[in-house]
Amino acid sequence: MVSKIPPDVGPRYPQVVVLVGATGDLARRKLLPGMFHLCNAGFIPGCRIIGVSLDEIDRDRFRDIARSALEEFSTRKVSEADWTAFAQTLDYVPLSAGAAALRAAVEKAEQSFEGESRRLHYMSVPPSAALPAVRMLGEAGLVERSRIVMEKPFGTDRASAVSLNARLHEVFDEDRIFRIDHFLGKEPAQNILAFRFANGLFEPIWNRNFIDHVQIDVPETLALGKRAAFYETVGAFRDMVVTHLFQILAFMAMEPPTALEPAPISEEKNKVFRSMLPINPTDVVRGQYTGYRSEEGINPESDTETFIALKCSIDNWRWAGVPFYLRTGKRLAEGQRIISIAFREPPKSMFPAGSGVGAQGPDHLTFDLADASKMSLSFYGKRPGPGMRLDKLSLQFAMHDTGHIGDVLEAYERLILDAMRGDHTLFTTADGIERLWEVSSPLLEASPPVRLYAPGSWGPNAIHQLIAPQAWRLPFERIWRDPNRLGS
């Protein structure tokens, strides 16, 4: 097919992808469908994928697994011709075959290209399983011309993060390591940068003088499923806050970078992390949904949190005194992913009592972090008719409004492309992750007890005292407008 993709979007060279954990859940749900789309749409000038896992299967069985994954999880139509072309890119080496067999497969794949190629090693497994694979890549001589993508968790405290990074650096230099956070791969997360730094209306008020507080709220309705044993060892804070919510916070709070390039953006994110004050355990609410301890693989006396809400602070010129409230958890009332920025209210109201001003809280700018970007700006406006009665109104934008919704890449697709291109903009650094664990140390060393909450609720009641006198933005009092009904 003739690619219509701009040349600066994809990598310059053909890619050999070594996918460790190729038969696992993430590979089936996201990585194989994502790489199918990137190959089929022409984002990559050439690609060969070598699956690696503990399963003792051959290439044909791996292709069957990939075909099944596309049929079940691909969000795009898979034609027979497209599948046939993609299947030819797939090979498989069981982990037990060792370094020599993997090197032979990579060399065979590279020989199918004309000219230079590059390697991308994707560790779709936790670090405990990834590190032996990393050592095998070193033994196989597959480090040259390669980059490596690491999945979370990036340690469980500062000591383990430092140890993990040191062991990775024995094989790969830091500029070759890409620690992936799929939240930052979402179009709306990147839209925060565009919204802030391209618009003269908002950047001047993006500071403590105009913003009262910020909420980053990621409740989930999902239970643990097959992740119960893993989740029991980490909990909501390690699983979600350090690796996802803090990263979103950095995008929202960073200073303008000197250029929209990976190094300046990473430096500004790390400045945010260095400015964060250590988390005070008294500013944290930990919760556990009723029934968690009776699930398979869970300690009957487990103290693992399935919910966490916390207040954190950034001690710098822009954000001094502005609290950031973070919340996430399992089996909550709704599944949402929002950033909500509450603006300061006017210092004095000239409106008469009973007019409604202030009755529905401060004005908010809200980003919805779902795959299809949405934003809302709420404000008070006059109700039509006699007298001065005010209602809360909103301006809303959805990506559907632009006609470009079909151009949106899924998070993993975007991040795989960036790793192939060597673009670190949306990835975290060793220094950044180690600093976040340092900030988290007081909480990890003296965690408050877990409080039970009912499945389908918004978490323990103590969350309301945490944010008082303000209120949580979720649940919304107003719903997003349906773009399909506009004008109807």
Side-chain angles (χ1 to χ4, degrees), residues 117-445:
S117 62
R118 297 290 184 268
R119 303 158 180 164
L120 182 72
H121 307 304
Y122 198 118
M123 302 290 108
S124 180
V125 289
S128 59
L131 286 173
V134 170
R135 287 194 294 271
M136 186 172 78
L137 293 172
E139 293 168 6
L142 297 176
V143 176
E144 185 183 1
R145 294 182 288 110
S146 70
R147 301 181 175 103
I148 185 166
V149 179
M150 298 294 297
E151 279 284 344
K152 67 170 188 174
F154 312 123
T156 55
D157 55 22
R158 189 178 185 278
S160 61
V162 169
S163 174
L164 173 62
N165 288 329
R167 295 171 75 181
L168 286 174
H169 292 156
E170 290 173 359
V171 183
F172 288 91
D173 292 336
E174 176 64 19
D175 65 353
R176 296 287 171 175
I177 301 172
F178 293 77
R179 297 169 188 82
I180 195 166
D181 171 15
H182 70 274
F183 272 50
L184 294 188
K186 292 179 177 295
E187 198 74 32
Q190 301 159 55
N191 210 19
I192 295 171
L193 297 180
F195 190 87
R196 281 192 59 189
F197 300 129
N199 294 296
L201 176 62
F202 288 100
E203 178 55 26
I205 63 172
W206 211 266
N207 58 60
R208 64 187 301 271
N209 296 321
F210 299 94
I211 293 176
D212 181 82
H213 67 275
V214 178
Q215 295 180 35
I216 302 176
D217 209 349
V218 186
E220 297 181 285
T221 58
L222 299 174
L224 302 178
K226 297 179 180 179
R227 299 180 70 231
F230 163 77
Y231 199 88
E232 172 69 359
T233 65
V234 293
F237 180 78
R238 289 179 170 94
D239 186 48
M240 288 291 292
V241 177
V242 176
T243 51
H244 294 321
L245 274 62
F246 281 161
Q247 305 299 326
I248 292 293
L249 181 151
F251 259 40
M252 190 271 158
M254 63 189 278
E255 295 295 319
T258 56
L260 200 64
E261 296 174 356
I265 290 176
S266 291
E267 175 56 23
E268 294 305 332
K269 285 173 58 185
N270 285 343
K271 285 181 183 177
V272 173
F273 299 148
R274 290 196 292 269
S275 299
M276 287 176 64
L277 294 176
I279 298 170
N280 189 335
T282 62
D283 292 330
V284 177
V285 176
R286 296 170 69 236
Q288 185 185 94
Y289 64 77
T290 305
Y292 170 78
R293 295 175 183 177
S294 62
E295 294 190 10
E296 185 177 354
I298 303 301
N299 184 339
E301 299 180 356
S302 173
D303 188 49
T304 298
E305 79 278 356
T306 61
F307 169 97
I308 192 157
L310 61 91
K311 178 173 72 174
C312 60
S313 301
I314 301 172
D315 190 23
N316 63 15
W317 193 273
R318 184 182 291 264
W319 297 113
V322 177
F324 287 73
Y325 296 99
L326 282 55
R327 176 173 65 170
T328 187
K330 299 291 186 183
R331 299 203 66 183
L332 296 174
E334 294 180 21
Q336 295 273 2
R337 296 174 178 179
I338 70 159
I339 302 174
S340 191
I341 297 145
F343 292 100
R344 294 192 182 278
E345 299 187 65
K348 184 174 176 59
S349 175
M350 66 180 183
F351 296 93
S355 65
V357 67
Q360 297 183 56
D363 300 336
H364 283 87
L365 174 64
T366 302
F367 295 87
D368 186 322
L369 298 181
D371 283 322
S373 204
K374 290 191 289 190
M375 290 180 287
S376 172
L377 178 63
S378 70
F379 57 93
Y380 284 99
K382 183 184 179 298
R383 183 186 301 176
M388 182 59 73
R389 293 284 299 168
L390 279 70
D391 288 327
K392 207 62 178 289
L393 309 173
S394 69
L395 298 172
Q396 294 188 7
F397 161 81
M399 188 62 70
H400 290 273
D401 300 338
T402 67
H404 292 299
I405 188 64
D407 298 334
V408 173
L409 287 177
E410 291 190 353
Y412 279 100
E413 296 172 354
R414 168 63 188 263
L415 293 170
I416 289 170
L417 268 188
D418 283 356
M420 288 177 171
R421 294 169 54 232
D423 186 337
H424 276 90
T425 301
L426 302 178
F427 298 85
T428 192
T429 65
D431 289 345
I433 202 69
E434 289 173 14
R435 170 58 184 167
L436 289 176
W437 284 120
E438 183 180 0
V439 167
S440 304
S441 293
L443 173 60
L444 299 178
E445 293 168 3

Side-chain angles (χ1 to χ4, degrees), residues 28 32-33 36 59-74 78-87 90:
R28 293 178 61 252
L32 289 169
F36 166 79
R59 179 183 61 189
D60 290 339
R61 176 59 185 142
F62 178 53
R63 290 178 176 178
D64 290 341
I65 291 171
R67 180 63 187 265
S68 175
L70 296 186
E71 290 174 352
E72 187 173 358
F73 298 113
S74 178
V78 181
S79 71
E80 194 61 35
D82 290 338
W83 160 249
T84 299
F86 184 65
L90 301 176

